[in-house]
Amino acid sequence: MSLEETSFQPPVDPKTPARFEPDDHWTSPITLYRSLQDSLLSIWTRETFVEPMVLKKSPLADILFLSDPDGIRHVLMERIDNYPKSPMQQRFLKPSLGEGLFTAEGEQWRLQRHAANPSFKAEQLTRLVPALIGGLNHHL
């Protein structure tokens, strides 16, 4: 999908010079693992901030990065049952996170999401903006 095919507005201007690392994190399981240890943001390339949808294939797993609000709504709210958690996600996240939003499926996920809904209201998220910007600036 290209920018012309959607109303998506990228959070990064596609014309600005790249400030992100090259796409070499995905070449082997070792480089991907080392990148993830450094920072989860380090595996996000410029493309993942500019395009509404990017599929990255790695030896460990395929990862779909969604930045388009309509796409995110489709996956996380309208058709959640069509997008089960991967075995890799379950294997690595469940031991530390238990049955939470990132690991639960079906009705258990719906209960978790309903309980978390108040935290995702605009006024709550607005309070997080300074901390999010500070954290991003630290990693960029």
Side-chain angles (χ1 to χ4, degrees):
M1 182 181 289
S2 70
L3 286 175
E4 293 78 31
E5 298 170 330
T6 179
S7 61
F8 170 73
Q9 296 296 313
V12 173
D13 182 352
K15 297 175 187 91
T16 59
R19 293 182 359 195
F20 305 101
E21 295 295 318
D23 198 9
D24 61 358
H25 302 289
W26 300 88
T27 56
S28 77
I30 294 170
T31 56
L32 182 59
Y33 178 74
R34 286 183 180 153
S35 297
L36 287 170
Q37 281 187 314
D38 179 45
S39 166
L40 288 175
L41 290 176
S42 70
I43 66 168
W44 289 50
T45 61
R46 176 176 189 72
E47 180 185 28
T48 59
F49 288 93
V50 173
E51 293 296 325
M53 180 172 48
V54 176
L55 178 64
K56 292 290 187 183
K57 294 184 175 283
S58 82
L60 295 176
D62 294 346
I63 299 176
L64 180 64
F65 292 90
L66 279 176
S67 298
D68 178 42
D70 292 334
I72 293 168
R73 186 177 307 103
H74 172 82
V75 170
L76 293 180
M77 296 178 75
E78 298 167 358
R79 299 286 189 263
I80 186 71
D81 292 331
N82 292 350
Y83 302 94
K85 311 295 189 288
S86 72
M88 184 75 68
Q89 187 177 3
Q90 294 287 352
R91 181 176 177 204
F92 285 105
L93 296 180
K94 219 170 208 173
S96 58
L97 299 179
E99 279 290 326
L101 275 175
F102 294 110
T103 58
E105 300 276 10
E107 190 56 31
Q108 181 64 31
W109 180 87
R110 284 179 191 76
L111 291 170
Q112 296 281 343
R113 182 65 176 101
H114 182 71
N117 270 347
S119 300
F120 291 96
K121 291 187 176 189
E123 59 269 13
Q124 295 296 330
L125 294 175
T126 302
R127 294 179 188 167
L128 294 175
V129 170
L132 293 171
I133 290 171
L136 287 171
N137 285 334
H138 174 74
H139 287 288
L140 294 178

